[in-house]
Amino acid sequence: MTMKLDESLFSVPGLRRGLRFYVTAPTPCPYLEDQFERKAFTHLAQASPDALHHQLSEAGFRRSQAVAYRPACPSCNACRSVRVDANNFKLSRNQSRIVNRNRDLVRTPVEPKATREQFRLLKNYLLARHKGGGMSDMGYREYVGMINESPVQTLLFEYREGSEPDSPLVAVSLTDVLRDGFSMVYTFFDPRQSQRSLGTYMVLDHILSAEDYALPHVYLGYWIKGSQKMDYKRRFQPLEVLDGPVWRRLEDDE
């Protein structure tokens, strides 16, 4: 069940007139025990969707298919939007080792079109890493919707063990291209290759390749202080957090 939400609750400068927000019914929070989450959302499939998507992303929204959403929990504001300052990013020693470990992989940007090969990789990933999670019973038709139904500029980055089209596919990132950065919507990878640290590697690869696209940021979604599931995002420094309407550097003691 959804209901209309007063757009005055959101600080989105220059938001087009007439844009409607809705809020979902409460559901159990996947990150904090004994908490319930609600999401505010609006539809992107309308006039100038890329401009609207960029505007909303700067205000802390994320995309799922043709919808932009943001947490709207009345008694909790633990979810914080974060992005990496790609222009000032420096690899740590451990991150350099991860990049070198994956030098044999070939990244290819392709149109966001679902394939059976990608879907098999996703199912193996979900079975190994998120068994019983919200996406674990996803069927191929739902996967097609997740990948294909984007009204904004989106790419799939495929990572293969070689340059041939039939080289083994080991990782995939569904990535939106904003005016000021990559937004990593969803990633998955071969869970058998844990030695590669593929999840970390894909984030590093986006940060390092952002310069090729003249993009200063990589948006990583939400971060919750004290959440083990999200703590990995602090490894990519400098990390910026959305504080009200302003993006600022996330301090070490936060």
Side-chain angles (χ1 to χ4, degrees), residues 17-60:
R17 184 172 297 177
L19 186 65
R20 293 184 176 181
F21 290 97
Y22 302 87
V23 64
T24 63
T27 58
C29 178
Y31 302 108
L32 298 176
E33 292 185 7
D34 303 321
Q35 293 285 344
F36 287 83
E37 67 171 359
R38 304 184 80 175
K39 291 186 175 75
F41 67 92
T42 191
H43 296 282
L44 290 169
Q46 50 187 294
S48 304
D50 282 296
L52 176 61
H53 185 213
H54 172 77
Q55 190 176 33
L56 291 172
S57 295
E58 283 198 316

mmCIF file of all heavy atoms in Angstrom, residues 17-60:
data_model
loop_
_atom_site.group_PDB
_atom_site.id
_atom_site.type_symbol
_atom_site.label_atom_id
_atom_site.label_comp_id
_atom_site.label_asym_id
_atom_site.label_seq_id
_atom_site.Cartn_x
_atom_site.Cartn_y
_atom_site.Cartn_z
ATOM 1 N N ARG A 17 7.788 21.443 -10.749
ATOM 2 C CA ARG A 17 6.457 21.554 -10.165
ATOM 3 C C ARG A 17 5.588 20.377 -10.616
ATOM 4 O O ARG A 17 5.648 19.942 -11.759
ATOM 5 C CB ARG A 17 5.821 22.872 -10.600
ATOM 6 C CG ARG A 17 4.462 23.147 -9.970
ATOM 7 C CD ARG A 17 3.997 24.544 -10.298
ATOM 8 N NE ARG A 17 4.897 25.553 -9.726
ATOM 9 C CZ ARG A 17 4.755 26.867 -9.909
ATOM 10 N NH1 ARG A 17 3.756 27.321 -10.641
ATOM 11 N NH2 ARG A 17 5.620 27.702 -9.370
ATOM 12 N N GLY A 18 4.797 19.872 -9.689
ATOM 13 C CA GLY A 18 3.878 18.803 -10.020
ATOM 14 C C GLY A 18 4.431 17.403 -9.843
ATOM 15 O O GLY A 18 3.696 16.433 -10.031
ATOM 16 N N LEU A 19 5.694 17.274 -9.476
ATOM 17 C CA LEU A 19 6.269 15.950 -9.256
ATOM 18 C C LEU A 19 5.679 15.348 -7.983
ATOM 19 O O LEU A 19 5.673 15.975 -6.930
ATOM 20 C CB LEU A 19 7.790 16.050 -9.125
ATOM 21 C CG LEU A 19 8.551 14.739 -9.031
ATOM 22 C CD1 LEU A 19 8.424 13.946 -10.324
ATOM 23 C CD2 LEU A 19 10.024 14.990 -8.714
ATOM 24 N N ARG A 20 5.193 14.134 -8.071
ATOM 25 C CA ARG A 20 4.522 13.504 -6.939
ATOM 26 C C ARG A 20 5.413 12.460 -6.278
ATOM 27 O O ARG A 20 6.067 11.667 -6.962
ATOM 28 C CB ARG A 20 3.220 12.853 -7.395
ATOM 29 C CG ARG A 20 2.170 13.861 -7.854
ATOM 30 C CD ARG A 20 0.880 13.152 -8.196
ATOM 31 N NE ARG A 20 -0.173 14.107 -8.543
ATOM 32 C CZ ARG A 20 -1.414 13.767 -8.859
ATOM 33 N NH1 ARG A 20 -1.757 12.485 -8.869
ATOM 34 N NH2 ARG A 20 -2.299 14.692 -9.159
ATOM 35 N N PHE A 21 5.421 12.477 -4.957
ATOM 36 C CA PHE A 21 6.110 11.470 -4.173
ATOM 37 C C PHE A 21 5.080 10.596 -3.465
ATOM 38 O O PHE A 21 3.998 11.054 -3.095
ATOM 39 C CB PHE A 21 7.025 12.116 -3.131
ATOM 40 C CG PHE A 21 8.230 12.793 -3.713
ATOM 41 C CD1 PHE A 21 8.227 14.168 -3.941
ATOM 42 C CD2 PHE A 21 9.356 12.071 -4.031
ATOM 43 C CE1 PHE A 21 9.336 14.793 -4.474
ATOM 44 C CE2 PHE A 21 10.474 12.689 -4.565
ATOM 45 C CZ PHE A 21 10.456 14.051 -4.794
ATOM 46 N N TYR A 22 5.466 9.343 -3.257
ATOM 47 C CA TYR A 22 4.625 8.396 -2.539
ATOM 48 C C TYR A 22 5.485 7.710 -1.482
ATOM 49 O O TYR A 22 6.720 7.730 -1.570
ATOM 50 C CB TYR A 22 4.028 7.363 -3.492
ATOM 51 C CG TYR A 22 3.217 7.984 -4.604
ATOM 52 C CD1 TYR A 22 3.829 8.397 -5.789
ATOM 53 C CD2 TYR A 22 1.847 8.173 -4.466
ATOM 54 C CE1 TYR A 22 3.090 8.986 -6.797
ATOM 55 C CE2 TYR A 22 1.096 8.761 -5.481
ATOM 56 C CZ TYR A 22 1.731 9.168 -6.655
ATOM 57 O OH TYR A 22 0.997 9.759 -7.648
ATOM 58 N N VAL A 23 4.846 7.102 -0.504
ATOM 59 C CA VAL A 23 5.596 6.412 0.542
ATOM 60 C C VAL A 23 5.024 5.011 0.715
ATOM 61 O O VAL A 23 3.817 4.793 0.645
ATOM 62 C CB VAL A 23 5.549 7.200 1.876
ATOM 63 C CG1 VAL A 23 4.133 7.293 2.409
ATOM 64 C CG2 VAL A 23 6.482 6.583 2.896
ATOM 65 N N THR A 24 5.913 4.043 0.885
ATOM 66 C CA THR A 24 5.505 2.659 1.030
ATOM 67 C C THR A 24 5.017 2.381 2.447
ATOM 68 O O THR A 24 5.294 3.137 3.384
ATOM 69 C CB THR A 24 6.670 1.715 0.725
ATOM 70 O OG1 THR A 24 7.723 1.943 1.680
ATOM 71 C CG2 THR A 24 7.219 1.952 -0.673
ATOM 72 N N ALA A 25 4.348 1.263 2.604
ATOM 73 C CA ALA A 25 3.965 0.799 3.935
ATOM 74 C C ALA A 25 5.196 0.299 4.673
ATOM 75 O O ALA A 25 6.194 -0.078 4.044
ATOM 76 C CB ALA A 25 2.927 -0.320 3.818
ATOM 77 N N PRO A 26 5.198 0.277 6.010
ATOM 78 C CA PRO A 26 6.371 -0.186 6.766
ATOM 79 C C PRO A 26 6.662 -1.662 6.510
ATOM 80 O O PRO A 26 5.766 -2.491 6.430
ATOM 81 C CB PRO A 26 5.969 0.044 8.229
ATOM 82 C CG PRO A 26 4.850 1.022 8.183
ATOM 83 C CD PRO A 26 4.128 0.760 6.899
ATOM 84 N N THR A 27 7.961 -1.976 6.378
ATOM 85 C CA THR A 27 8.440 -3.360 6.274
ATOM 86 C C THR A 27 9.657 -3.510 7.177
ATOM 87 O O THR A 27 10.324 -2.518 7.500
ATOM 88 C CB THR A 27 8.830 -3.712 4.831
ATOM 89 O OG1 THR A 27 9.844 -2.797 4.367
ATOM 90 C CG2 THR A 27 7.636 -3.636 3.891
ATOM 91 N N PRO A 28 9.978 -4.721 7.631
ATOM 92 C CA PRO A 28 11.148 -4.908 8.505
ATOM 93 C C PRO A 28 12.426 -4.387 7.860
ATOM 94 O O PRO A 28 12.685 -4.634 6.687
ATOM 95 C CB PRO A 28 11.189 -6.425 8.706
ATOM 96 C CG PRO A 28 9.784 -6.871 8.510
ATOM 97 C CD PRO A 28 9.225 -5.983 7.435
ATOM 98 N N CYS A 29 13.212 -3.674 8.621
ATOM 99 C CA CYS A 29 14.471 -3.118 8.125
ATOM 100 C C CYS A 29 15.493 -4.237 7.952
ATOM 101 O O CYS A 29 15.712 -5.025 8.877
ATOM 102 C CB CYS A 29 15.004 -2.073 9.104
ATOM 103 S SG CYS A 29 16.602 -1.369 8.603
ATOM 104 N N PRO A 30 16.151 -4.311 6.793
ATOM 105 C CA PRO A 30 17.140 -5.370 6.585
ATOM 106 C C PRO A 30 18.483 -5.101 7.251
ATOM 107 O O PRO A 30 19.352 -5.971 7.246
ATOM 108 C CB PRO A 30 17.285 -5.399 5.061
ATOM 109 C CG PRO A 30 16.985 -4.000 4.633
ATOM 110 C CD PRO A 30 15.932 -3.502 5.593
ATOM 111 N N TYR A 31 18.655 -3.926 7.839
ATOM 112 C CA TYR A 31 19.946 -3.547 8.397
ATOM 113 C C TYR A 31 19.938 -3.362 9.911
ATOM 114 O O TYR A 31 20.946 -3.617 10.573
ATOM 115 C CB TYR A 31 20.441 -2.250 7.736
ATOM 116 C CG TYR A 31 20.576 -2.371 6.248
ATOM 117 C CD1 TYR A 31 19.685 -1.740 5.399
ATOM 118 C CD2 TYR A 31 21.582 -3.146 5.679
ATOM 119 C CE1 TYR A 31 19.803 -1.866 4.015
ATOM 120 C CE2 TYR A 31 21.702 -3.276 4.303
ATOM 121 C CZ TYR A 31 20.818 -2.630 3.484
ATOM 122 O OH TYR A 31 20.916 -2.763 2.127
ATOM 123 N N LEU A 32 18.822 -2.917 10.471
ATOM 124 C CA LEU A 32 18.757 -2.656 11.907
ATOM 125 C C LEU A 32 17.663 -3.511 12.531
ATOM 126 O O LEU A 32 16.511 -3.481 12.071
ATOM 127 C CB LEU A 32 18.472 -1.174 12.160
ATOM 128 C CG LEU A 32 19.522 -0.184 11.640
ATOM 129 C CD1 LEU A 32 19.062 1.245 11.877
ATOM 130 C CD2 LEU A 32 20.878 -0.425 12.292
ATOM 131 N N GLU A 33 18.012 -4.243 13.567
ATOM 132 C CA GLU A 33 17.050 -5.104 14.235
ATOM 133 C C GLU A 33 15.948 -4.274 14.912
ATOM 134 O O GLU A 33 16.194 -3.179 15.413
ATOM 135 C CB GLU A 33 17.749 -5.971 15.282
ATOM 136 C CG GLU A 33 18.683 -7.027 14.693
ATOM 137 C CD GLU A 33 19.251 -7.939 15.758
ATOM 138 O OE1 GLU A 33 18.821 -7.827 16.923
ATOM 139 O OE2 GLU A 33 20.118 -8.760 15.417
ATOM 140 N N ASP A 34 14.760 -4.848 14.907
ATOM 141 C CA ASP A 34 13.600 -4.239 15.574
ATOM 142 C C ASP A 34 13.224 -2.881 14.997
ATOM 143 O O ASP A 34 12.576 -2.067 15.672
ATOM 144 C CB ASP A 34 13.856 -4.106 17.085
ATOM 145 C CG ASP A 34 14.173 -5.447 17.737
ATOM 146 O OD1 ASP A 34 13.545 -6.447 17.345
ATOM 147 O OD2 ASP A 34 15.049 -5.472 18.624
ATOM 148 N N GLN A 35 13.645 -2.625 13.769
ATOM 149 C CA GLN A 35 13.275 -1.383 13.101
ATOM 150 C C GLN A 35 12.457 -1.698 11.854
ATOM 151 O O GLN A 35 12.572 -2.790 11.276
ATOM 152 C CB GLN A 35 14.527 -0.590 12.700
ATOM 153 C CG GLN A 35 15.341 -0.059 13.857
ATOM 154 C CD GLN A 35 14.698 1.139 14.530
ATOM 155 O OE1 GLN A 35 13.793 1.764 13.969
ATOM 156 N NE2 GLN A 35 15.149 1.469 15.730
ATOM 157 N N PHE A 36 11.638 -0.739 11.456
ATOM 158 C CA PHE A 36 10.862 -0.866 10.228
ATOM 159 C C PHE A 36 11.233 0.281 9.297
ATOM 160 O O PHE A 36 11.528 1.393 9.744
ATOM 161 C CB PHE A 36 9.367 -0.841 10.526
ATOM 162 C CG PHE A 36 8.866 -2.112 11.176
ATOM 163 C CD1 PHE A 36 8.996 -2.293 12.552
ATOM 164 C CD2 PHE A 36 8.304 -3.115 10.415
ATOM 165 C CE1 PHE A 36 8.547 -3.461 13.148
ATOM 166 C CE2 PHE A 36 7.864 -4.286 11.000
ATOM 167 C CZ PHE A 36 7.987 -4.464 12.373
ATOM 168 N N GLU A 37 11.250 -0.025 8.021
ATOM 169 C CA GLU A 37 11.621 0.993 7.047
ATOM 170 C C GLU A 37 10.428 1.373 6.164
ATOM 171 O O GLU A 37 9.532 0.580 5.921
ATOM 172 C CB GLU A 37 12.759 0.500 6.146
ATOM 173 C CG GLU A 37 12.374 -0.639 5.216
ATOM 174 C CD GLU A 37 13.446 -0.946 4.199
ATOM 175 O OE1 GLU A 37 14.483 -0.269 4.180
ATOM 176 O OE2 GLU A 37 13.244 -1.881 3.394
ATOM 177 N N ARG A 38 10.467 2.617 5.717
ATOM 178 C CA ARG A 38 9.531 3.099 4.716
ATOM 179 C C ARG A 38 10.349 3.826 3.666
ATOM 180 O O ARG A 38 11.381 4.439 3.985
ATOM 181 C CB ARG A 38 8.479 4.026 5.319
ATOM 182 C CG ARG A 38 7.696 3.414 6.458
ATOM 183 C CD ARG A 38 6.599 4.321 6.957
ATOM 184 N NE ARG A 38 5.427 4.241 6.072
ATOM 185 C CZ ARG A 38 4.276 4.870 6.332
ATOM 186 N NH1 ARG A 38 4.157 5.634 7.411
ATOM 187 N NH2 ARG A 38 3.246 4.748 5.525
ATOM 188 N N LYS A 39 9.905 3.765 2.435
ATOM 189 C CA LYS A 39 10.616 4.431 1.350
ATOM 190 C C LYS A 39 9.697 5.424 0.660
ATOM 191 O O LYS A 39 8.528 5.121 0.381
ATOM 192 C CB LYS A 39 11.129 3.424 0.325
ATOM 193 C CG LYS A 39 12.243 2.520 0.817
ATOM 194 C CD LYS A 39 12.763 1.668 -0.326
ATOM 195 C CE LYS A 39 13.958 0.824 0.093
ATOM 196 N NZ LYS A 39 13.558 -0.319 0.936
ATOM 197 N N ALA A 40 10.235 6.599 0.389
ATOM 198 C CA ALA A 40 9.552 7.562 -0.453
ATOM 199 C C ALA A 40 10.039 7.357 -1.877
ATOM 200 O O ALA A 40 11.217 7.080 -2.100
ATOM 201 C CB ALA A 40 9.849 8.986 0.002
ATOM 202 N N PHE A 41 9.150 7.477 -2.840
ATOM 203 C CA PHE A 41 9.575 7.257 -4.222
ATOM 204 C C PHE A 41 8.762 8.104 -5.189
ATOM 205 O O PHE A 41 7.676 8.591 -4.870
ATOM 206 C CB PHE A 41 9.445 5.776 -4.593
ATOM 207 C CG PHE A 41 8.034 5.251 -4.661
ATOM 208 C CD1 PHE A 41 7.320 5.256 -5.853
ATOM 209 C CD2 PHE A 41 7.411 4.763 -3.521
ATOM 210 C CE1 PHE A 41 6.024 4.786 -5.920
ATOM 211 C CE2 PHE A 41 6.116 4.273 -3.579
ATOM 212 C CZ PHE A 41 5.417 4.288 -4.781
ATOM 213 N N THR A 42 9.330 8.276 -6.368
ATOM 214 C CA THR A 42 8.661 8.942 -7.464
ATOM 215 C C THR A 42 9.066 8.250 -8.749
ATOM 216 O O THR A 42 10.055 7.506 -8.789
ATOM 217 C CB THR A 42 8.995 10.443 -7.511
ATOM 218 O OG1 THR A 42 8.124 11.102 -8.444
ATOM 219 C CG2 THR A 42 10.446 10.683 -7.919
ATOM 220 N N HIS A 43 8.323 8.488 -9.808
ATOM 221 C CA HIS A 43 8.567 7.805 -11.076
ATOM 222 C C HIS A 43 9.509 8.632 -11.952
ATOM 223 O O HIS A 43 9.366 9.846 -12.072
ATOM 224 C CB HIS A 43 7.248 7.547 -11.794
ATOM 225 C CG HIS A 43 6.335 6.619 -11.043
ATOM 226 N ND1 HIS A 43 6.506 5.257 -11.029
ATOM 227 C CD2 HIS A 43 5.253 6.877 -10.261
ATOM 228 C CE1 HIS A 43 5.567 4.702 -10.280
ATOM 229 N NE2 HIS A 43 4.800 5.659 -9.795
ATOM 230 N N LEU A 44 10.462 7.952 -12.588
ATOM 231 C CA LEU A 44 11.421 8.610 -13.461
ATOM 232 C C LEU A 44 10.971 8.628 -14.917
ATOM 233 O O LEU A 44 11.500 9.408 -15.711
ATOM 234 C CB LEU A 44 12.782 7.917 -13.373
ATOM 235 C CG LEU A 44 13.544 8.085 -12.057
ATOM 236 C CD1 LEU A 44 14.731 7.138 -12.013
ATOM 237 C CD2 LEU A 44 14.008 9.521 -11.877
ATOM 238 N N ALA A 45 10.046 7.753 -15.272
ATOM 239 C CA ALA A 45 9.608 7.635 -16.667
ATOM 240 C C ALA A 45 8.673 8.781 -17.017
ATOM 241 O O ALA A 45 7.451 8.627 -17.101
ATOM 242 C CB ALA A 45 8.935 6.291 -16.891
ATOM 243 N N GLN A 46 9.259 9.962 -17.190
ATOM 244 C CA GLN A 46 8.510 11.154 -17.568
ATOM 245 C C GLN A 46 9.455 12.079 -18.319
ATOM 246 O O GLN A 46 10.556 11.676 -18.689
ATOM 247 C CB GLN A 46 7.917 11.826 -16.333
ATOM 248 C CG GLN A 46 8.898 12.068 -15.206
ATOM 249 C CD GLN A 46 8.203 12.577 -13.963
ATOM 250 O OE1 GLN A 46 7.663 13.671 -13.957
ATOM 251 N NE2 GLN A 46 8.182 11.760 -12.906
ATOM 252 N N ALA A 47 9.058 13.298 -18.561
ATOM 253 C CA ALA A 47 9.871 14.209 -19.355
ATOM 254 C C ALA A 47 11.242 14.427 -18.719
ATOM 255 O O ALA A 47 11.363 14.573 -17.507
ATOM 256 C CB ALA A 47 9.142 15.549 -19.507
ATOM 257 N N SER A 48 12.299 14.417 -19.541
ATOM 258 C CA SER A 48 13.683 14.653 -19.116
ATOM 259 C C SER A 48 14.073 13.772 -17.933
ATOM 260 O O SER A 48 14.499 14.271 -16.872
ATOM 261 C CB SER A 48 13.886 16.134 -18.752
ATOM 262 O OG SER A 48 13.532 16.973 -19.823
ATOM 263 N N PRO A 49 13.984 12.449 -18.066
ATOM 264 C CA PRO A 49 14.272 11.581 -16.921
ATOM 265 C C PRO A 49 15.716 11.657 -16.444
ATOM 266 O O PRO A 49 15.967 11.525 -15.240
ATOM 267 C CB PRO A 49 13.928 10.183 -17.446
ATOM 268 C CG PRO A 49 14.029 10.295 -18.929
ATOM 269 C CD PRO A 49 13.591 11.676 -19.260
ATOM 270 N N ASP A 50 16.687 11.875 -17.347
ATOM 271 C CA ASP A 50 18.080 11.933 -16.915
ATOM 272 C C ASP A 50 18.342 13.147 -16.035
ATOM 273 O O ASP A 50 19.051 13.051 -15.026
ATOM 274 C CB ASP A 50 19.014 11.949 -18.132
ATOM 275 C CG ASP A 50 19.195 10.572 -18.740
ATOM 276 O OD1 ASP A 50 19.734 9.690 -18.055
ATOM 277 O OD2 ASP A 50 18.773 10.368 -19.893
ATOM 278 N N ALA A 51 17.777 14.294 -16.406
ATOM 279 C CA ALA A 51 17.946 15.494 -15.587
ATOM 280 C C ALA A 51 17.297 15.312 -14.223
ATOM 281 O O ALA A 51 17.863 15.692 -13.188
ATOM 282 C CB ALA A 51 17.347 16.705 -16.303
ATOM 283 N N LEU A 52 16.109 14.708 -14.204
ATOM 284 C CA LEU A 52 15.427 14.459 -12.933
ATOM 285 C C LEU A 52 16.217 13.466 -12.081
ATOM 286 O O LEU A 52 16.359 13.657 -10.862
ATOM 287 C CB LEU A 52 14.024 13.923 -13.205
ATOM 288 C CG LEU A 52 13.197 13.515 -11.984
ATOM 289 C CD1 LEU A 52 12.979 14.713 -11.058
ATOM 290 C CD2 LEU A 52 11.863 12.916 -12.409
ATOM 291 N N HIS A 53 16.732 12.421 -12.705
ATOM 292 C CA HIS A 53 17.512 11.411 -11.986
ATOM 293 C C HIS A 53 18.740 12.031 -11.339
ATOM 294 O O HIS A 53 19.061 11.746 -10.179
ATOM 295 C CB HIS A 53 17.919 10.312 -12.967
ATOM 296 C CG HIS A 53 18.623 9.165 -12.339
ATOM 297 N ND1 HIS A 53 19.616 8.449 -12.990
ATOM 298 C CD2 HIS A 53 18.503 8.598 -11.112
ATOM 299 C CE1 HIS A 53 20.045 7.490 -12.191
ATOM 300 N NE2 HIS A 53 19.397 7.565 -11.056
ATOM 301 N N HIS A 54 19.444 12.870 -12.076
ATOM 302 C CA HIS A 54 20.628 13.529 -11.516
ATOM 303 C C HIS A 54 20.241 14.399 -10.328
ATOM 304 O O HIS A 54 20.893 14.368 -9.277
ATOM 305 C CB HIS A 54 21.310 14.379 -12.582
ATOM 306 C CG HIS A 54 22.406 15.236 -12.051
ATOM 307 N ND1 HIS A 54 23.650 14.743 -11.725
ATOM 308 C CD2 HIS A 54 22.441 16.555 -11.746
ATOM 309 C CE1 HIS A 54 24.405 15.718 -11.254
ATOM 310 N NE2 HIS A 54 23.694 16.825 -11.249
ATOM 311 N N GLN A 55 19.185 15.151 -10.469
ATOM 312 C CA GLN A 55 18.738 16.053 -9.405
ATOM 313 C C GLN A 55 18.378 15.261 -8.147
ATOM 314 O O GLN A 55 18.774 15.633 -7.024
ATOM 315 C CB GLN A 55 17.537 16.853 -9.911
ATOM 316 C CG GLN A 55 17.108 18.001 -9.021
ATOM 317 C CD GLN A 55 15.972 18.773 -9.661
ATOM 318 O OE1 GLN A 55 15.134 18.201 -10.366
ATOM 319 N NE2 GLN A 55 15.919 20.067 -9.401
ATOM 320 N N LEU A 56 17.652 14.179 -8.328
ATOM 321 C CA LEU A 56 17.251 13.376 -7.184
ATOM 322 C C LEU A 56 18.441 12.635 -6.574
ATOM 323 O O LEU A 56 18.502 12.460 -5.351
ATOM 324 C CB LEU A 56 16.156 12.389 -7.601
ATOM 325 C CG LEU A 56 14.798 13.013 -7.944
ATOM 326 C CD1 LEU A 56 13.857 11.967 -8.523
ATOM 327 C CD2 LEU A 56 14.171 13.665 -6.719
ATOM 328 N N SER A 57 19.388 12.182 -7.394
ATOM 329 C CA SER A 57 20.567 11.492 -6.871
ATOM 330 C C SER A 57 21.385 12.419 -5.986
ATOM 331 O O SER A 57 21.905 12.008 -4.941
ATOM 332 C CB SER A 57 21.427 10.965 -8.022
ATOM 333 O OG SER A 57 20.745 9.967 -8.749
ATOM 334 N N GLU A 58 21.504 13.667 -6.377
ATOM 335 C CA GLU A 58 22.214 14.644 -5.549
ATOM 336 C C GLU A 58 21.494 14.870 -4.225
ATOM 337 O O GLU A 58 22.117 15.300 -3.253
ATOM 338 C CB GLU A 58 22.355 15.967 -6.302
ATOM 339 C CG GLU A 58 23.441 15.965 -7.360
ATOM 340 C CD GLU A 58 23.835 17.367 -7.763
ATOM 341 O OE1 GLU A 58 22.909 18.190 -7.953
ATOM 342 O OE2 GLU A 58 25.037 17.649 -7.859
ATOM 343 N N ALA A 59 20.198 14.567 -4.177
ATOM 344 C CA ALA A 59 19.410 14.723 -2.950
ATOM 345 C C ALA A 59 19.281 13.409 -2.193
ATOM 346 O O ALA A 59 18.470 13.308 -1.263
ATOM 347 C CB ALA A 59 18.032 15.276 -3.279
ATOM 348 N N GLY A 60 20.060 12.391 -2.584
ATOM 349 C CA GLY A 60 20.110 11.162 -1.811
ATOM 350 C C GLY A 60 19.198 10.044 -2.273
ATOM 351 O O GLY A 60 19.048 9.042 -1.573
#
